[in-house]
Amino acid sequence: MNAALAYNDIKPAMNSRKSSSPTATARAANESPGAEPAGAQARDLEDGAFAPTPQELERLLFAIESSQQIDKRFQFFLWAQGVLQSFIPHQTLICATGNLDTEQFEVDVFSSDAITQEKQPELWEAARETTRLAVREWIRRGREPLFYSSEVREEGGDPIQQIIWEMGLGNTLIHGTRDIRGPNASFYIFGRLARGPRRRSREVCEILMPYLHFAAHRYALQDVDAMQRRAPVPELSTREIQIMLGVRDGKTNMAIGAELGISPLTVKNHVQRILRKLQVNNRAQAVARCLVTRMFSGDTLSEDA
């Protein structure tokens, strides 16, 4: 289904709606027109196409309109946990922006579950590894939406299925911006879906993908702007820069440690200290801040202490 055509078909109805501020829109995302409890509103047939009712069409319009007013991370979170649930009911969303072909991307995680500060480094590392494997498989399969069911799991089988099971993502939908190459692509893993794979979910995902993409990039740019306005960044040591080069390249603690001749636990401790130094919450933000402040002077890791 062509997303542009789908939007043009419903765009005239926008004339009857009033625009609102980004914050108001984000709050209203949880009160979308005709909203129903998550998991109950989407009337899927097992193999049925997306044939929306007037109420669902209105919710789709609202989802598209409100996505265009997102420019902050918390607004994206409210939108994903609000109106987007009407079409892709999920509990966890892993979002990656950057160059998918070279695996130079930033990863962010949105979840309806509370994530403690202590758990964040482990969660982001697992999300990055999951995304790295999922991107490769998605590209190999022609950049089409991928579904993984919680009911299908074979020991020693698909590595993506295995890591999805280990992260507790259950039913999972994976897709990205198939027609965008280079550093401006984006990729999404919807985990713990309320329902298993359906044709409808694929078609809705295709329609909403451009709006997910632009919303994610807008808030990411806002994060970079905010970093530029902060106080001067504390200097990182040579070793910390080496660690961050590995993080930037999407390497695991084990891979970074092997290249530098140190243990994965030492790498983890370095990363946590770097996060505190840079006053950021996760690895993606740390990499973004290093890029903004031009801390990376080389492209490879060195064993010099």
Short mmCIF file of all heavy atoms in Angstrom, two decimals, residues 71-126:
data_model
loop_
_atom_site.label_atom_id
_atom_site.label_comp_id
_atom_site.label_asym_id
_atom_site.label_seq_id
_atom_site.Cartn_x
_atom_site.Cartn_y
_atom_site.Cartn_z
N ASP A 71 8.47 17.00 18.42
CA ASP A 71 9.87 17.40 18.28
C ASP A 71 10.66 17.17 19.57
O ASP A 71 11.78 17.64 19.70
CB ASP A 71 9.99 18.86 17.84
CG ASP A 71 9.37 19.85 18.81
OD1 ASP A 71 8.95 19.42 19.92
OD2 ASP A 71 9.31 21.05 18.49
N LYS A 72 10.07 16.45 20.51
CA LYS A 72 10.77 16.11 21.75
C LYS A 72 10.59 14.63 22.05
O LYS A 72 9.58 14.02 21.69
CB LYS A 72 10.26 16.96 22.92
CG LYS A 72 10.58 18.45 22.79
CD LYS A 72 10.05 19.22 23.98
CE LYS A 72 10.50 20.69 23.91
NZ LYS A 72 9.99 21.35 22.70
N ARG A 73 11.54 14.07 22.76
CA ARG A 73 11.50 12.64 23.03
C ARG A 73 10.27 12.24 23.83
O ARG A 73 9.65 11.22 23.55
CB ARG A 73 12.77 12.22 23.80
CG ARG A 73 12.89 10.70 23.99
CD ARG A 73 14.16 10.34 24.76
NE ARG A 73 14.34 8.89 24.80
CZ ARG A 73 13.74 8.09 25.67
NH1 ARG A 73 12.90 8.61 26.57
NH2 ARG A 73 13.96 6.79 25.65
N PHE A 74 9.91 13.01 24.84
CA PHE A 74 8.74 12.64 25.65
C PHE A 74 7.46 12.68 24.83
O PHE A 74 6.53 11.90 25.08
CB PHE A 74 8.63 13.53 26.90
CG PHE A 74 7.92 14.83 26.69
CD1 PHE A 74 6.54 14.94 26.88
CD2 PHE A 74 8.62 15.96 26.31
CE1 PHE A 74 5.88 16.13 26.68
CE2 PHE A 74 7.96 17.18 26.11
CZ PHE A 74 6.58 17.26 26.30
N GLN A 75 7.40 13.57 23.83
CA GLN A 75 6.22 13.62 22.96
C GLN A 75 6.15 12.36 22.09
O GLN A 75 5.07 11.80 21.88
CB GLN A 75 6.27 14.87 22.09
CG GLN A 75 6.12 16.17 22.88
CD GLN A 75 6.37 17.39 22.03
OE1 GLN A 75 6.92 17.30 20.93
NE2 GLN A 75 5.97 18.55 22.52
N PHE A 76 7.31 11.93 21.60
CA PHE A 76 7.35 10.69 20.81
C PHE A 76 6.89 9.52 21.67
O PHE A 76 6.13 8.65 21.22
CB PHE A 76 8.77 10.45 20.30
CG PHE A 76 8.89 9.29 19.33
CD1 PHE A 76 8.74 9.48 17.97
CD2 PHE A 76 9.14 8.01 19.80
CE1 PHE A 76 8.84 8.42 17.08
CE2 PHE A 76 9.24 6.94 18.92
CZ PHE A 76 9.10 7.15 17.56
N PHE A 77 7.35 9.48 22.92
CA PHE A 77 6.96 8.40 23.82
C PHE A 77 5.44 8.39 24.05
O PHE A 77 4.79 7.34 23.97
CB PHE A 77 7.68 8.55 25.17
CG PHE A 77 7.20 7.61 26.24
CD1 PHE A 77 7.59 6.28 26.22
CD2 PHE A 77 6.35 8.03 27.24
CE1 PHE A 77 7.15 5.39 27.20
CE2 PHE A 77 5.90 7.16 28.21
CZ PHE A 77 6.30 5.84 28.19
N LEU A 78 4.87 9.56 24.34
CA LEU A 78 3.42 9.64 24.58
C LEU A 78 2.64 9.25 23.33
O LEU A 78 1.60 8.59 23.41
CB LEU A 78 3.05 11.06 25.02
CG LEU A 78 3.50 11.49 26.42
CD1 LEU A 78 3.12 12.94 26.67
CD2 LEU A 78 2.91 10.59 27.49
N TRP A 79 3.12 9.67 22.17
CA TRP A 79 2.44 9.34 20.91
C TRP A 79 2.49 7.82 20.67
O TRP A 79 1.49 7.21 20.31
CB TRP A 79 3.13 10.09 19.77
CG TRP A 79 2.53 9.86 18.42
CD1 TRP A 79 1.37 10.39 17.92
CD2 TRP A 79 3.06 9.03 17.37
NE1 TRP A 79 1.15 9.95 16.62
CE2 TRP A 79 2.18 9.11 16.27
CE3 TRP A 79 4.21 8.24 17.26
CZ2 TRP A 79 2.40 8.44 15.08
CZ3 TRP A 79 4.44 7.56 16.08
CH2 TRP A 79 3.54 7.66 15.01
N ALA A 80 3.68 7.21 20.88
CA ALA A 80 3.83 5.78 20.66
C ALA A 80 3.00 4.96 21.65
O ALA A 80 2.44 3.92 21.29
CB ALA A 80 5.30 5.38 20.76
N GLN A 81 2.91 5.44 22.88
CA GLN A 81 2.16 4.72 23.90
C GLN A 81 0.68 5.11 23.91
O GLN A 81 -0.10 4.52 24.66
CB GLN A 81 2.76 4.99 25.29
CG GLN A 81 4.11 4.34 25.50
CD GLN A 81 4.04 2.82 25.44
OE1 GLN A 81 3.13 2.22 25.99
NE2 GLN A 81 5.00 2.21 24.77
N GLY A 82 0.32 6.09 23.08
CA GLY A 82 -1.07 6.53 23.02
C GLY A 82 -1.75 6.14 21.73
O GLY A 82 -2.14 4.98 21.53
N VAL A 83 -1.87 7.09 20.81
CA VAL A 83 -2.65 6.87 19.59
C VAL A 83 -2.08 5.76 18.72
O VAL A 83 -2.82 5.04 18.05
CB VAL A 83 -2.76 8.20 18.80
CG1 VAL A 83 -1.42 8.66 18.29
CG2 VAL A 83 -3.74 8.05 17.65
N LEU A 84 -0.75 5.58 18.71
CA LEU A 84 -0.16 4.52 17.89
C LEU A 84 -0.62 3.13 18.33
O LEU A 84 -0.68 2.20 17.52
CB LEU A 84 1.37 4.60 17.94
CG LEU A 84 2.13 3.65 17.01
CD1 LEU A 84 1.77 3.89 15.55
CD2 LEU A 84 3.64 3.80 17.21
N GLN A 85 -1.00 3.00 19.59
CA GLN A 85 -1.45 1.70 20.11
C GLN A 85 -2.73 1.23 19.43
O GLN A 85 -3.02 0.03 19.41
CB GLN A 85 -1.68 1.79 21.63
CG GLN A 85 -0.43 2.08 22.43
CD GLN A 85 0.52 0.90 22.48
OE1 GLN A 85 0.11 -0.25 22.37
NE2 GLN A 85 1.81 1.17 22.64
N SER A 86 -3.50 2.15 18.87
CA SER A 86 -4.73 1.78 18.17
C SER A 86 -4.45 0.91 16.95
O SER A 86 -5.31 0.14 16.52
CB SER A 86 -5.51 3.03 17.73
OG SER A 86 -5.99 3.75 18.84
N PHE A 87 -3.23 1.04 16.40
CA PHE A 87 -2.92 0.35 15.15
C PHE A 87 -1.81 -0.69 15.31
O PHE A 87 -1.82 -1.72 14.64
CB PHE A 87 -2.53 1.38 14.09
CG PHE A 87 -3.60 2.40 13.85
CD1 PHE A 87 -3.54 3.66 14.42
CD2 PHE A 87 -4.72 2.08 13.10
CE1 PHE A 87 -4.55 4.59 14.23
CE2 PHE A 87 -5.74 3.00 12.90
CZ PHE A 87 -5.66 4.25 13.47
N ILE A 88 -0.84 -0.40 16.17
CA ILE A 88 0.22 -1.37 16.44
C ILE A 88 0.35 -1.48 17.96
O ILE A 88 1.24 -0.85 18.56
CB ILE A 88 1.57 -0.93 15.80
CG1 ILE A 88 1.38 -0.57 14.33
CG2 ILE A 88 2.60 -2.04 15.95
CD1 ILE A 88 2.64 -0.05 13.66
N PRO A 89 -0.55 -2.21 18.60
CA PRO A 89 -0.51 -2.32 20.07
C PRO A 89 0.73 -3.07 20.54
O PRO A 89 0.89 -4.26 20.25
CB PRO A 89 -1.79 -3.08 20.42
CG PRO A 89 -2.17 -3.81 19.17
CD PRO A 89 -1.67 -2.98 18.02
N HIS A 90 1.62 -2.37 21.23
CA HIS A 90 2.89 -2.94 21.66
C HIS A 90 3.25 -2.40 23.04
O HIS A 90 2.68 -1.41 23.50
CB HIS A 90 3.99 -2.57 20.66
CG HIS A 90 4.25 -1.09 20.61
ND1 HIS A 90 3.44 -0.22 19.90
CD2 HIS A 90 5.20 -0.32 21.21
CE1 HIS A 90 3.88 1.02 20.06
NE2 HIS A 90 4.96 0.97 20.84
N GLN A 91 4.22 -3.03 23.67
CA GLN A 91 4.69 -2.55 24.97
C GLN A 91 6.12 -2.01 24.91
O GLN A 91 6.50 -1.20 25.74
CB GLN A 91 4.60 -3.67 26.01
CG GLN A 91 3.18 -4.08 26.35
CD GLN A 91 3.12 -5.07 27.50
OE1 GLN A 91 3.83 -4.95 28.48
NE2 GLN A 91 2.26 -6.07 27.37
N THR A 92 6.89 -2.46 23.94
CA THR A 92 8.28 -2.01 23.81
C THR A 92 8.55 -1.61 22.36
O THR A 92 8.18 -2.33 21.44
CB THR A 92 9.27 -3.12 24.23
OG1 THR A 92 9.01 -3.49 25.58
CG2 THR A 92 10.70 -2.63 24.11
N LEU A 93 9.21 -0.45 22.19
CA LEU A 93 9.59 0.01 20.86
C LEU A 93 11.08 0.34 20.88
O LEU A 93 11.53 1.18 21.66
CB LEU A 93 8.79 1.24 20.45
CG LEU A 93 9.22 1.96 19.16
CD1 LEU A 93 9.17 1.02 17.97
CD2 LEU A 93 8.36 3.19 18.92
N ILE A 94 11.84 -0.35 20.03
CA ILE A 94 13.26 -0.05 19.85
C ILE A 94 13.38 0.74 18.56
O ILE A 94 12.93 0.30 17.50
CB ILE A 94 14.10 -1.33 19.78
CG1 ILE A 94 13.94 -2.14 21.07
CG2 ILE A 94 15.57 -0.99 19.54
CD1 ILE A 94 14.65 -3.49 21.04
N CYS A 95 13.96 1.91 18.65
CA CYS A 95 14.05 2.83 17.51
C CYS A 95 15.52 3.10 17.19
O CYS A 95 16.31 3.39 18.10
CB CYS A 95 13.33 4.13 17.87
SG CYS A 95 13.55 5.48 16.71
N ALA A 96 15.89 2.97 15.92
CA ALA A 96 17.27 3.23 15.49
C ALA A 96 17.26 4.26 14.37
O ALA A 96 16.45 4.16 13.45
CB ALA A 96 17.95 1.95 15.03
N THR A 97 18.15 5.24 14.45
CA THR A 97 18.28 6.24 13.40
C THR A 97 19.74 6.35 13.00
O THR A 97 20.63 6.35 13.85
CB THR A 97 17.79 7.63 13.88
OG1 THR A 97 18.48 7.99 15.09
CG2 THR A 97 16.30 7.61 14.16
N GLY A 98 19.98 6.41 11.69
CA GLY A 98 21.35 6.52 11.20
C GLY A 98 21.52 5.76 9.90
O GLY A 98 20.59 5.66 9.10
N ASN A 99 22.71 5.21 9.68
CA ASN A 99 23.01 4.49 8.45
C ASN A 99 22.86 2.99 8.71
O ASN A 99 23.68 2.38 9.39
CB ASN A 99 24.44 4.81 7.99
CG ASN A 99 24.71 4.35 6.56
OD1 ASN A 99 24.24 3.30 6.15
ND2 ASN A 99 25.46 5.16 5.82
N LEU A 100 21.80 2.40 8.17
CA LEU A 100 21.53 0.99 8.40
C LEU A 100 22.50 0.09 7.63
O LEU A 100 22.87 -0.98 8.11
CB LEU A 100 20.09 0.65 8.01
CG LEU A 100 19.00 1.47 8.71
CD1 LEU A 100 17.62 1.01 8.23
CD2 LEU A 100 19.09 1.36 10.23
N ASP A 101 22.93 0.52 6.45
CA ASP A 101 23.79 -0.31 5.63
C ASP A 101 25.18 -0.50 6.25
O ASP A 101 25.78 -1.56 6.13
CB ASP A 101 23.92 0.29 4.22
CG ASP A 101 22.59 0.29 3.48
OD1 ASP A 101 22.18 -0.79 3.03
OD2 ASP A 101 21.96 1.34 3.38
N THR A 102 25.69 0.54 6.91
CA THR A 102 27.00 0.44 7.56
C THR A 102 26.88 0.17 9.06
O THR A 102 27.90 0.09 9.75
CB THR A 102 27.79 1.75 7.35
OG1 THR A 102 27.09 2.84 7.97
CG2 THR A 102 27.97 2.05 5.87
N GLU A 103 25.65 0.06 9.54
CA GLU A 103 25.36 -0.18 10.96
C GLU A 103 25.90 0.93 11.86
O GLU A 103 26.29 0.70 13.00
CB GLU A 103 25.91 -1.55 11.39
CG GLU A 103 25.26 -2.70 10.64
CD GLU A 103 25.75 -4.07 11.06
OE1 GLU A 103 26.51 -4.16 12.05
OE2 GLU A 103 25.37 -5.07 10.42
N GLN A 104 25.91 2.14 11.34
CA GLN A 104 26.28 3.32 12.12
C GLN A 104 24.97 4.01 12.51
O GLN A 104 24.51 4.92 11.83
CB GLN A 104 27.15 4.26 11.29
CG GLN A 104 28.44 3.65 10.78
CD GLN A 104 29.57 3.75 11.79
OE1 GLN A 104 29.61 4.65 12.60
NE2 GLN A 104 30.50 2.82 11.72
N PHE A 105 24.36 3.55 13.60
CA PHE A 105 23.08 4.12 13.99
C PHE A 105 22.99 4.27 15.51
O PHE A 105 23.74 3.63 16.25
CB PHE A 105 21.92 3.26 13.48
CG PHE A 105 22.06 1.79 13.74
CD1 PHE A 105 21.92 1.27 15.02
CD2 PHE A 105 22.32 0.91 12.69
CE1 PHE A 105 22.05 -0.10 15.25
CE2 PHE A 105 22.44 -0.45 12.91
CZ PHE A 105 22.31 -0.95 14.20
N GLU A 106 22.08 5.14 15.94
CA GLU A 106 21.81 5.35 17.36
C GLU A 106 20.55 4.56 17.71
O GLU A 106 19.60 4.52 16.93
CB GLU A 106 21.59 6.83 17.66
CG GLU A 106 22.68 7.76 17.11
CD GLU A 106 24.05 7.44 17.65
OE1 GLU A 106 24.11 6.91 18.78
OE2 GLU A 106 25.04 7.69 16.95
N VAL A 107 20.54 3.99 18.90
CA VAL A 107 19.40 3.18 19.34
C VAL A 107 18.75 3.82 20.56
O VAL A 107 19.43 4.30 21.47
CB VAL A 107 19.86 1.75 19.70
CG1 VAL A 107 18.72 0.95 20.31
CG2 VAL A 107 20.37 1.04 18.45
N ASP A 108 17.43 3.86 20.54
CA ASP A 108 16.67 4.36 21.69
C ASP A 108 15.60 3.32 22.01
O ASP A 108 15.15 2.58 21.13
CB ASP A 108 16.02 5.70 21.36
CG ASP A 108 15.78 6.55 22.62
OD1 ASP A 108 15.89 5.99 23.73
OD2 ASP A 108 15.48 7.74 22.48
N VAL A 109 15.18 3.27 23.27
CA VAL A 109 14.19 2.29 23.71
C VAL A 109 13.05 3.01 24.41
O VAL A 109 13.26 3.84 25.29
CB VAL A 109 14.81 1.25 24.68
CG1 VAL A 109 13.76 0.24 25.11
CG2 VAL A 109 15.98 0.54 24.03
N PHE A 110 11.83 2.68 24.00
CA PHE A 110 10.62 3.21 24.63
C PHE A 110 9.81 2.03 25.16
O PHE A 110 9.53 1.09 24.42
CB PHE A 110 9.79 4.00 23.61
CG PHE A 110 10.52 5.17 23.02
CD1 PHE A 110 11.30 5.01 21.88
CD2 PHE A 110 10.43 6.43 23.59
CE1 PHE A 110 11.98 6.07 21.33
CE2 PHE A 110 11.12 7.50 23.04
CZ PHE A 110 11.89 7.33 21.91
N SER A 111 9.45 2.08 26.42
CA SER A 111 8.74 0.95 27.02
C SER A 111 7.69 1.44 27.99
O SER A 111 7.88 2.46 28.67
CB SER A 111 9.72 0.03 27.74
OG SER A 111 9.05 -1.02 28.40
N SER A 112 6.58 0.72 28.04
CA SER A 112 5.53 1.04 29.02
C SER A 112 5.94 0.58 30.41
O SER A 112 5.34 0.97 31.40
CB SER A 112 4.21 0.38 28.61
OG SER A 112 4.38 -1.04 28.50
N ASP A 113 6.99 -0.26 30.49
CA ASP A 113 7.51 -0.69 31.78
C ASP A 113 8.54 0.31 32.28
O ASP A 113 9.30 0.88 31.49
CB ASP A 113 8.17 -2.07 31.67
CG ASP A 113 7.17 -3.15 31.25
OD1 ASP A 113 5.99 -3.01 31.61
OD2 ASP A 113 7.57 -4.10 30.57
N ALA A 114 8.59 0.50 33.60
CA ALA A 114 9.59 1.39 34.17
C ALA A 114 10.98 0.78 34.01
O ALA A 114 11.18 -0.41 34.25
CB ALA A 114 9.30 1.63 35.65
N ILE A 115 11.94 1.60 33.57
CA ILE A 115 13.32 1.14 33.38
C ILE A 115 14.20 1.86 34.39
O ILE A 115 14.32 3.09 34.36
CB ILE A 115 13.82 1.43 31.96
CG1 ILE A 115 12.90 0.78 30.92
CG2 ILE A 115 15.25 0.94 31.78
CD1 ILE A 115 13.24 1.16 29.49
N THR A 116 14.81 1.11 35.32
CA THR A 116 15.64 1.74 36.34
C THR A 116 16.96 2.19 35.73
O THR A 116 17.41 1.69 34.70
CB THR A 116 15.94 0.74 37.48
OG1 THR A 116 16.70 -0.35 36.95
CG2 THR A 116 14.65 0.20 38.09
N GLN A 117 17.60 3.18 36.40
CA GLN A 117 18.88 3.70 35.93
C GLN A 117 19.93 2.59 35.84
O GLN A 117 20.74 2.57 34.91
CB GLN A 117 19.36 4.80 36.89
CG GLN A 117 20.52 5.64 36.35
CD GLN A 117 20.07 6.64 35.30
OE1 GLN A 117 18.90 6.93 35.19
NE2 GLN A 117 21.02 7.17 34.55
N GLU A 118 19.90 1.66 36.80
CA GLU A 118 20.89 0.58 36.84
C GLU A 118 20.72 -0.37 35.65
O GLU A 118 21.70 -0.94 35.15
CB GLU A 118 20.77 -0.21 38.15
CG GLU A 118 21.14 0.58 39.40
CD GLU A 118 20.08 1.59 39.80
OE1 GLU A 118 18.92 1.42 39.37
OE2 GLU A 118 20.41 2.54 40.53
N LYS A 119 19.49 -0.56 35.20
CA LYS A 119 19.21 -1.51 34.12
C LYS A 119 19.43 -0.92 32.73
O LYS A 119 19.52 -1.65 31.74
CB LYS A 119 17.77 -2.01 34.22
CG LYS A 119 17.52 -2.97 35.38
CD LYS A 119 18.17 -4.31 35.12
CE LYS A 119 17.85 -5.32 36.20
NZ LYS A 119 18.50 -6.62 35.97
N GLN A 120 19.52 0.40 32.64
CA GLN A 120 19.60 1.04 31.32
C GLN A 120 20.79 0.58 30.48
O GLN A 120 20.62 0.24 29.31
CB GLN A 120 19.62 2.56 31.47
CG GLN A 120 18.25 3.16 31.67
CD GLN A 120 18.25 4.67 31.50
OE1 GLN A 120 19.28 5.28 31.25
NE2 GLN A 120 17.08 5.27 31.66
N PRO A 121 22.03 0.56 31.03
CA PRO A 121 23.16 0.15 30.17
C PRO A 121 22.98 -1.25 29.58
O PRO A 121 23.26 -1.47 28.40
CB PRO A 121 24.36 0.20 31.15
CG PRO A 121 23.95 1.19 32.19
CD PRO A 121 22.47 0.98 32.37
N GLU A 122 22.52 -2.21 30.40
CA GLU A 122 22.32 -3.58 29.91
C GLU A 122 21.22 -3.63 28.86
O GLU A 122 21.34 -4.32 27.84
CB GLU A 122 21.97 -4.51 31.07
CG GLU A 122 23.09 -4.67 32.09
CD GLU A 122 22.69 -5.56 33.24
OE1 GLU A 122 21.61 -6.20 33.14
OE2 GLU A 122 23.43 -5.62 34.23
N LEU A 123 20.13 -2.88 29.10
CA LEU A 123 19.01 -2.88 28.16
C LEU A 123 19.42 -2.29 26.82
O LEU A 123 19.11 -2.84 25.76
CB LEU A 123 17.83 -2.10 28.74
CG LEU A 123 16.61 -1.93 27.82
CD1 LEU A 123 16.02 -3.29 27.48
CD2 LEU A 123 15.57 -1.04 28.49
N TRP A 124 20.16 -1.18 26.86
CA TRP A 124 20.56 -0.54 25.60
C TRP A 124 21.55 -1.41 24.83
O TRP A 124 21.51 -1.46 23.61
CB TRP A 124 21.14 0.85 25.87
CG TRP A 124 20.19 1.94 25.55
CD1 TRP A 124 20.13 2.67 24.40
CD2 TRP A 124 19.11 2.42 26.37
NE1 TRP A 124 19.09 3.58 24.47
CE2 TRP A 124 18.46 3.45 25.66
CE3 TRP A 124 18.64 2.10 27.64
CZ2 TRP A 124 17.37 4.15 26.17
CZ3 TRP A 124 17.56 2.80 28.15
CH2 TRP A 124 16.94 3.80 27.41
N GLU A 125 22.42 -2.11 25.53
CA GLU A 125 23.36 -2.99 24.84
C GLU A 125 22.62 -4.14 24.18
O GLU A 125 22.89 -4.49 23.02
CB GLU A 125 24.40 -3.54 25.83
CG GLU A 125 25.44 -4.41 25.12
CD GLU A 125 26.57 -4.83 26.06
OE1 GLU A 125 26.60 -4.37 27.21
OE2 GLU A 125 27.42 -5.62 25.60
N ALA A 126 21.65 -4.72 24.89
CA ALA A 126 20.85 -5.81 24.31
C ALA A 126 20.03 -5.30 23.13
O ALA A 126 19.90 -5.98 22.10
CB ALA A 126 19.93 -6.41 25.38
#
